[in-house]
Amino acid sequence: MTFEEIKNGESKNLEFKIQLPDDSKKYIKTVVAYANTSGGKIIIGVDDVTREITGVDPQSVFQIMDKIANAVSDMCAPQIVPDITFQTIDGKCIVQIEIYPGQNRPYYIKKLGKENGTFIRVAGTSRPADETTLRDLEYQGAGISFDELVNVETDYDETAALNLCKDIRKYIAESQEIPINKVREISVANLENWRILKKNGNAYVPTNAFLLLTSHTFRFAKIQCALFKGKDRAVFIDKREFDGPLYSQIEDAYQFVLKHINLGATIDGIIRKDRYELPPESIREAIVNAVCHRCYLEHSCVQVAVYDDRVEITSPGMLYGGLTVEQAMEGRSKIRNVCLAEVFSRMGIIEQWGTGFQRMLQGCREYGLARPEFIDMGDAFRVIFYRASVSNNK
């Protein structure tokens, strides 16, 4: 911890306390929330309002550290192992509690129980996890991907399976820019190998991934697109809602954005080239990421919003597996929906795992645009592209 970091103030992953609270629950909530999300630090001896380093009594440092370690051990389940250290800054002693993202989620306060004692970190605060988030954490802790689960409420549809095979083959041909007769046939057996379908005895049963790729089964598995007048959501100019197979939704949402952003022309020698004000590849990448990595347990849709000054693409669900925005920008990737990612990769919809953020950044640099923003909203993730007129004013 540095003096400059303290002066920057609290954040999603950093919390200050003037002194260790007598009621341990006041900071154990944050410990649990950090373990359930992307980790973080609690600093004892800093005023959260003024950011003044008040320090703790140097004679009490080891007593404070022991009290913290005992409280975390006694009050949290499963076990959380904090990294507790002390250091001197500006001549004053502070205690630092660092919590790393946990693998055995969900973590909760024993006395409150799992349903009421599970907390997550949202925009610098520790909030109780709702039922949907708790299920998502349980799947993460068990190493289960929602999309690979068998959907027991739906029967296998052979026609839908064969149509999916045809579409996968068509996408492979288009992505590789080769005639479709040069692409081998995709069979139902391939869908089984990719865990899109599973066997129950001799019969196929659909997974959630199969339904997401072939049907309208899930009410919130949609992309909502809107064009707004001005810079807020007060007045709609155009809005559409796309459902059905996810890969079709991606294409429909992508075309919606291209329809509503400016298309200009540049002259290269004697050749006239049309060019959108935003890099189409970056827009498409953001939509693909929103669909592939969203939490399908959430009762909300992917949203694509076009404003006078920006385009926002919002994906439901917190970042998966303790991943931070900074780590994602460095190329690290954790896959929430493993079956969808597998199929999208084979179809050429996903080119390389873990490179999406860099491609979005590179696209905007090449267009001379402002750097896109990547915002972890706690219960959702948002990408913002600033349109050319705004970028030129920055």
Side-chain angles (χ1 to χ4, degrees):
M1 181 57 56
T2 66
F3 183 82
E4 289 72 21
E5 287 175 316
I6 290 174
K7 290 307 176 186
N8 286 335
E10 293 185 318
S11 66
K12 179 186 176 184
N13 303 100
L14 182 61
E15 187 170 290
F16 300 146
K17 296 197 178 293
I18 294 180
Q19 60 186 16
L20 188 67
D22 292 331
D23 182 359
S24 299
K25 193 171 72 173
K26 290 183 178 180
Y27 67 90
I28 291 297
K29 287 197 303 183
T30 302
V31 169
V32 165
Y34 281 156
N36 281 326
T37 47
S38 55
K41 299 175 182 178
I42 304 172
I43 308 300
I44 311 297
V46 177
D47 190 314
D48 63 328
V49 177
T50 66
R51 305 176 191 176
E52 177 188 358
I53 301 175
T54 57
V56 299
D57 180 2
Q59 304 299 320
S60 303
V61 167
F62 292 105
Q63 181 181 350
I64 292 171
M65 294 171 67
D66 285 343
K67 184 176 180 181
I68 294 167
N70 291 334
V72 174
S73 177
D74 293 342
M75 297 179 67
C76 301
Q79 185 179 23
I80 297 172
V81 181
D83 184 7
I84 308 170
T85 58
F86 70 92
Q87 68 181 101
T88 300
I89 297 182
D90 199 24
K92 297 176 182 177
C93 185
I94 63 171
V95 175
Q96 174 179 290
I97 312 166
E98 184 164 9
I99 305 297
Y100 300 100
Q103 301 298 317
N104 299 314
R105 304 176 174 193
Y107 295 90
Y108 57 93
I109 297 175
K110 293 178 184 177
K111 188 174 181 180
L112 298 178
K114 185 188 294 186
E115 288 72 23
N116 299 315
T118 301
F119 293 85
I120 59 170
R121 197 72 174 165
V122 179
T125 62
S126 300
R127 301 182 185 177
D130 59 23
E131 182 180 350
T132 297
T133 303
L134 182 58
R135 282 182 64 196
D136 186 32
L137 290 169
E138 288 174 334
Y139 286 154
Q140 290 184 43
I144 295 172
S145 176
F146 168 79
D147 64 339
E148 69 180 340
L149 296 175
V150 170
N151 190 293
V152 296
E153 299 176 356
T154 309
D155 295 328
Y156 168 61
D157 185 333
E158 184 177 15
T159 300
L162 295 175
N163 287 336
L164 176 58
C165 291
K166 291 178 183 177
D167 284 347
I168 293 173
R169 188 177 183 228
K170 181 184 73 173
Y171 267 79
I172 292 173
E174 292 176 354
S175 67
Q176 297 181 9
E177 298 182 340
I178 58 176
I180 195 166
N181 60 7
K182 298 292 185 181
V183 179
R184 65 178 179 82
E185 295 282 348
I186 304 299
S187 68
V188 173
N190 292 129
L191 300 183
E192 181 186 359
N193 290 338
W194 302 333
R195 293 178 291 173
I196 302 299
L197 291 172
K198 293 186 178 181
K199 279 282 187 72
N200 182 10
N202 293 323
Y204 283 116
V205 291
T207 64
N208 290 326
F210 178 81
L211 299 175
L212 289 166
L213 292 167
T214 61
S215 71
H216 309 257
T217 301
F218 298 101
R219 178 183 173 188
F220 295 99
K222 303 174 184 178
I223 303 181
Q224 296 173 329
C225 297
L227 171 66
F228 295 98
K229 181 178 177 62
K231 300 179 181 180
D232 56 36
R233 297 194 172 202
V235 180
F236 282 101
I237 297 176
D238 186 17
K239 61 179 178 178
R240 297 286 303 277
E241 187 172 274
F242 302 111
D243 59 10
L246 293 183
Y247 49 89
S248 298
Q249 292 185 37
I250 291 169
E251 185 62 29
D252 290 338
Y254 172 63
Q255 293 300 328
F256 180 93
V257 175
L258 296 187
K259 175 183 175 183
H260 291 301
I261 61 175
N262 297 322
L263 177 64
T266 59
I267 304 300
D268 183 4
I270 62 172
I271 300 174
R272 179 185 185 275
K273 294 182 178 180
D274 292 329
R275 176 164 135 157
Y276 287 99
E277 62 173 309
L278 293 173
E281 296 81 5
S282 296
I283 295 293
R284 186 175 183 278
E285 187 68 38
I287 296 172
V288 169
N289 280 354
V291 169
C292 187
H293 297 300
R294 67 155 291 179
C295 176
Y296 284 96
L297 295 167
E298 292 283 352
H299 290 180
S300 54
C301 304
V302 170
Q303 292 191 333
V304 178
V306 182
Y307 302 91
D308 285 357
D309 62 338
R310 68 195 188 279
V311 174
E312 293 182 351
I313 299 166
T314 307
S315 178
M318 63 182 182
L319 286 174
Y320 183 73
L323 194 69
T324 66
V325 173
E326 293 74 21
Q327 290 170 338
M329 291 176 66
E330 292 170 358
R332 290 188 60 184
S333 179
K334 293 188 177 183
I335 309 300
R336 173 180 259 119
N337 300 296
V338 293
C339 298
L340 294 180
E342 174 75 19
V343 173
F344 282 179
S345 177
R346 292 180 180 275
M347 294 170 77
I349 294 173
I350 295 176
E351 294 182 14
Q352 295 177 336
W353 293 356
T355 62
F357 280 55
Q358 289 300 320
R359 287 205 297 273
M360 288 182 238
L361 290 165
Q362 181 180 347
C364 290
R365 280 196 302 268
E366 291 174 352
Y367 270 57
L369 299 173
R371 181 186 178 95
E373 285 192 68
F374 305 106
I375 303 175
D376 179 3
M377 303 167 66
D379 56 354
F381 184 76
R382 176 172 292 168
V383 180
I384 303 177
F385 296 100
Y386 290 100
R387 302 180 68 173
S389 57
V390 176
S391 297
N392 292 336
N393 291 331
K394 289 193 173 185

